[in-house]
Structure formats: C-alpha cells, structure tokens
Amino acid sequence: MRLVRVQVPEFRALKDVDITFEPDFYPQVFPVGSLNGGGKSTLLQLIFVLLHCSAHKERHPFVANMLDRVTISESQTSSILAKFELLEGGKKIELEFTLCNDGYLRELDIDPIFNREMVSFGIFRRQDWLLESLEKSDEELEEEFYRLLSHELNDPESKITMEEMESDFENAMKEREYFQPLIKNIKKSLIAKNQFCITSFYSKQELGLICNFSGSKKDIKEILTSISKRIFLSAPSTQIYLFLSKNEKQQLFKSKADPKNSYLYQYSIEQSKNSLRNFLTYDVFATDTLVSLIETARNQDFKTLVDTGTNGITYPKIIEELNALTRDKTVFPLLDDKANIIGVVFKTPEGTDIYPEDLSHGELKRLSLYVWLKLIIPQDENIVLMDEIENGFHLDWQYTIVRDLIEWGKTNQYILATHSYELCTALTPAHVKEIELKPIAK
Amino acid sequence: MSLSPTELHLHCQEIIKLSQRKKGIIILCEGNINEIKGRVERYRRLEIFPDANFYKACIPIWWTEKRPTFVPCGDRKDVIDTYFSLVDAANNSDIPSGIDKNKFFAIIDLDLQPHAFSNYVVTDTEALYSLYYQNGKFQPIGINQHSIFITGLIYKEAYFLVPDLQPLFDHHFTVFYNDQPLNLDGLYQIMAQALSDDNNLCTHFPRACGRLNHLATLDFTNVATLQESWLQTFLSANEPEKSQLIYALLTIHQVKDYWKAFTPKDTIPEARFKEQLTLAIGGFYSRQPLDSEHHLPCFFKTLSTHTL
C-alpha cells in the first residue's frame, strides 16, 4: 500500500494542501516540512484518522472528535475534506472524504413517500441501534429483546421495570418501521453514486462524512478495512491529539501542579490505543516483545544446532543489531535459575548495568521504534506516519534514522513530519515536501 | 568561475561558525555552494542533489558518532583556496580565535590537469595522487601530515561505475544505457574504444601513463596502442587482472558523459532518478566492511583515526 497523493482543501491550519509521494521514488521516505503552525501534525492525524478509523464503527468517535470544529456554509450542501490517491498491488484507489449536511441528503434520489424534513444525518447519529438493526429481522430483534429483558429482571439492581422496557422496545420498533426503509433508501442512493456514509456527528449542525470511491471493484468497506490495517501513526506523547475528545485535550493545558491533570491526558492517550491499534507514542518500549525476540532467536539457534550440529547465527545477529541502537552499551538477556529470559539489561563500557527505563531519551526512542517497526508491525507494505521523529536525537542520529527506518521496515512507506534539515539531507530535495502556511485572515 | 576574495572570506566565516557548532571534522569538497545550515523548506527548493550529500551518504555505518560534515566549496581551486584560507585564519589570528585547524580536511577530484600547491607538503595534485594510491590501491598514510585527500578515480562520478555496483543496477534500480539494460563490462569496452577520441587524455597522456605503469600488459606507446592493448587484455583477462584494468580506465578516462547517458526504465524524471541512484550508491559504500579495498571506505577508515 502506498499513499500517492493527499489533497486537503481546508481543514484547521491546512489550506490548499496537495502533496504527491511519488511511488517510484527510492527510498520511500518523505519528510514533510513547514513552519510552526503550518499543520504538519494536523495533516498526519487527519490522514491517520480517516484511513484507520473509517472502516470501524468503534473508531468513529475519533473521527467525530477530529472534525469537532468543522462547519459547512449555509449556501453549500457539501465540502470536500480530503482526497487520497493510494496504490494497492499496483492498482490505483481514489477516495474522497466529503462533509455533507442534511441538504445534501435531501438532494439525493429519495422515494417521495418519505417526508423530506425527516431526511437528516440526525437519524444516523441518534439511532445507532437502528443502523445495526438493519441487518436483522423483526424475529431476531424480538429474541434479543427478551434475552435482555430476562437479564434485567434477574438483576436485583436493575431500576427499569418490565413495562417500561416493553414500551421502549415497542417505540423503537415503530421508529424502525418508519426509518428502516428510509435509511435503506438513503444508503442505496449513496451507493448508486459510489458513495458510502462513514459516520454522522454534530458540529454546530448535523453533519455526515461521506466517502466517494473509485478505481476498485471491491466493496468500499473491504477497501477501507484493508487500508485501515496498513496505516500507522507514531508521535510524541506530549502531542495534542485532535482525535481525542475536547475534555481530554483540555487536560493537557490544565495546571500541572495537580499531577492528576497530566496523568489524565496520558491515560486518554493510552485508552485510545485500545481502539487505535496502529497508533504508537514514542515513550512506549515493549520490553516483553524484546524478550520474546531474544528468546525466539536463542531457540532457533538451538534448533539449528540440534539439526545440523553447528551453531545458528540468529541470536548473535539480533544482539549485534540491538547493540547498534544504543550509544555505547551492550545488551544482555537477564536469566532466571532455569535460564528463562526474564528481561534485558544494557551494560555500559564501564560494566554498569542499565535497565531499559534508564536509557537516554534518544536511545529509548530508537529502541521503541526498532521494536515497533521490526517486531510489532507486520512486515508488509505499510504507510507509516511519524511526527517529530527527530526529537531527542542528536544531529548524527537525525541523519541515520532514515537508514534505520528503511532497515527496520524495508517495505514500508514513511511520511515524516519534521523540522530537521539534517534528516532531509539523507534524502534528495525532491523527496522533501512542504506545507505552505495558510494566509492569515484579515 | 572561482570564488572572489570577498566570497571566499564570507564562505570561510560560515565554515568557521559551522566548525564551532559541530563536534566532528569538517571536510571541504567540490560542489555548488549552498547554505551550510538551513531549513527543511530550503533544502526542498534545491534544484539538484548536493555533491556533499553523496559523500555524506558514503560515511560508513559503523561511524555513528561525531560523523564528519561535508561542506561544498565550489570547484577544485575553491576547495584548495578555502582549505588554506581556513588554516591561515587559524595560524594568523592574534587573539584566540576558537578555530581548530585540525578539524579541517579537504577532498578533491582527480583530474588529468594538475593543480600546483604553493605551500604544501607535495608540489601538486598529481604528487598527492601518487602519495595516496599505489598500483591503484589506497595507501593509508599519516593523516597528521596530510589534510588534503584526492580521489583515486577521475572525478567522483567514476565511483558510480565500479564493477561491484552491477547488482544495484540490476535489482534495485533498473538502469538503461543506450536503451539496453546497463552491463558494466560492456560499458567498459565502449569506454576503452573511445580513448583515442578523449582530447584531455591525448593532451595529458604522459601523466595518464604515469598512473598506470604498474600494468605491464598495456602498451603506452600512444593513446591508440593503449586503447588496443587495453581491449585485448580485457577480453582474455582473469578476475583480478580485469578489475585492475577497469580501475585503470576509470583513473584516466572522463566518465561524466557515460553517467549522463544512464536512463531509468520507469517514468521517473531522469534527474530525480540520478539523484536517487547517487544516494543508493552512497549507501553501497557506507555498508562496506572495515577491510574493504574500495577507495572511499578506505578514506573514511583513515579519517576515523584522527582524534580531535
């Protein structure tokens, strides 16, 4: 998978962004620069959220958070948010994410039996259950209801009565009876235009995010699911993540005198990772994964010894690679009494033991990136978005990180938001992309 | 067009400031002078891949700290002038200038046209070449006596055509020459056949012969006999001898035009393709083992022994 082109007409600090990442360039590493406030981080987060979250309902709240402040002018019914051109297996996929208001839906070819005033993104947003129930028959829903009812009745803490539940269910079924054909009708009209409603949300007005697609005969959900698995984002944990809720973002700006405030923001980031599987903050170092890597290499070499009578080379190779990641330290596995590997320790040239948590910021970051790219991310054609990768690296490492990234994930495409001139010199000027500053409104 | 005295002075001031910021050594090299430090957006606007970045890409992967900084200074004369101006600035400063002349090195391209040194341990660039290379191989001479290096092949582009690069041209980049996939062995023969038409070689033939006199099978009577003897020997040569002949050719015959004729298979613009290929060739040299005989890794190995 390659991201070939991204266009963002206007979103927050971004204005008329149109960047091409040439698929025939070598290496597939593209620094993206701009002055402070130019929107580099916003662009990476927008790309990640749209491509990683669209196919998965449980990630849609992140999309809504990201689009928190968007509006469409009254004279319009839709506005293009972002356009992507991707390559998958040599085939071009074009996706256009458009923000639409109710007026857009009302212009669709909807059966006149429906009241136009009822045609609104609100019905998508208000009735998640309605959407889910589209796939089910009345009998299945009744069965589900009675199961739930029995569960509630057996719960001594339940405050809802059986009559209330039956009444709610009856109302929901009536609503469904009316809205189900309407929603089906809207979806059919969208599909006829090669469009798919990703989600709907409220941002000063009822809005929906619609995806137009072309270039593939596959089902749009299948395409978006496939893309979502291949797009990754890594960034510093102190970054403002626009895909978090307003309350969560505000924690970052509250007084640090109360340690709870900074903890809450970090907690929100960690919580988001439960849903955003392809999201990494640089501070995370997976010791367990490293232990598992060393153990696997040791076992593999032992098997080679049993099979061939000669020692394997996997273990020394892994140790050599790990040694190269720190400035001057040597990696040793920590063993228990039965020679199980239970951790890792780094020895300084003076012989002092250093534990992973004691490494320098830059060393820890290199290790965490190594573990993430080489061991956690599947070795595939992924699109890896990295924000401020140079932070914590001295100038030499800012240059060599480009080579490291290629080495650790050879088949990936990397898009790096950066201020580092040194990093760019590891590539050709044509690799470097720029986001122009949005003109200041008078 | 060489640097004017004012330009030279300003350029040296920039390099001095740079040397005070950088921990490693500073190597002056040929290439267009662009800004020494800058912003991402300015790098993007450079129309061509800076020559200095090729050398930077060649820095061995084992050199992880205090990596050298390459600074383009213009043409060969500019590099030499800049080097001596920096040394003078360090020597002549009445007040402690903070300039450490031990930090400065230079690398210049070998040419058939020599450049005379007015006040250096060797008389000219040809003598410098003889000092660093014997029988075509790099000699690790005492770095404290010599801070000006010279390439062992004629211009840096010759390093883009060495035989070990064939796999890179076959697999990672599909390179075409005269609309055919590039075959370096074939290209060397094309180059040899053009020796008689190389005016620069004809003018400086005795100097060229001086570089190759370790090759007993070649006939140095004139350019035509050299051409003929090279071709004949090459066709029947075994592997080590063949390699010597190729390196001999790349030491005397200008290769820039051949390099210019390389084309990509894909739709990528030719200039972009060349830049990326240059970067990949730099990567090839950076991954050579410590005992490599390739000139550039030997050069870095020698430099790495210098302590500041």
Side-chain angles (χ1 to χ4, degrees), chain B residues 1 55 72 90 94 116 141 149 155 225 227 239 251 269 272 276 280:
Chain B
M1 187 77 174
Y55 285 121
D94 295 334
I141 57 168
F149 287 81
Y155 299 121
T225 59
Q227 173 175 316
E239 213 37 65
T251 310
R272 302 288 85 86
Q276 290 165 34

Side-chain angles (χ1 to χ4, degrees), chain A residues 26 327 396 425 427 434, chain B residues 43 45 56 65-66 276:
Chain A
Y26 174 85
R327 200 181 140 252
D396 286 334
T425 61
L427 297 153
E434 184 183 359
Chain B
Y43 184 72
R45 287 182 197 131
K56 195 170 178 179
E65 293 215 343
K66 295 186 183 176
Q276 290 165 34

Side-chain angles (χ1 to χ4, degrees), chain A residues 8-9 11-19 32-40 43 433-440, chain B residues 41 44-45:
Chain A
V8 182
F11 176 71
R12 298 180 74 103
L14 305 170
K15 173 86 177 159
D16 298 331
V17 172
D18 186 352
I19 303 176
V32 178
S34 79
L35 298 176
N36 285 328
K40 298 183 293 294
L43 180 66
K433 310 298 171 187
E434 184 183 359
I435 302 174
E436 302 276 356
L437 274 187
K438 184 178 175 177
I440 298 168
Chain B
E41 306 78 64
R44 187 184 80 83
R45 287 182 197 131

Side-chain angles (χ1 to χ4, degrees), chain B residues 4-52:
Chain B
S4 68
T6 314
E7 286 169 333
L8 181 63
H9 175 74
L10 289 173
H11 187 49
C12 287
Q13 291 304 312
E14 283 292 311
I15 297 171
I16 289 166
K17 279 189 226 160
L18 178 76
S19 74
Q20 288 161 344
R21 284 200 308 273
K22 295 272 183 178
K23 287 183 180 164
I25 56 177
I26 306 284
I27 307 172
L28 314 176
C29 64
E30 294 180 38
N32 289 341
I33 298 175
N34 40 53
E35 58 188 299
I36 293 171
K37 65 182 177 90
R39 289 207 302 256
V40 169
E41 306 78 64
R42 288 195 185 153
Y43 184 72
R44 187 184 80 83
R45 287 182 197 131
L46 294 179
E47 284 177 8
I48 51 166
F49 182 63
D51 289 1

Side-chain angles (χ1 to χ4, degrees), chain A residues 22 24-25 430, chain B residues 262-264 266-276:
Chain A
E22 296 82 352
D24 47 5
F25 270 25
Chain B
F262 283 16
T263 52
D266 303 314
T267 50
I268 180 170
E270 203 176 308
R272 302 288 85 86
F273 169 74
K274 291 275 176 57
E275 292 170 352
Q276 290 165 34

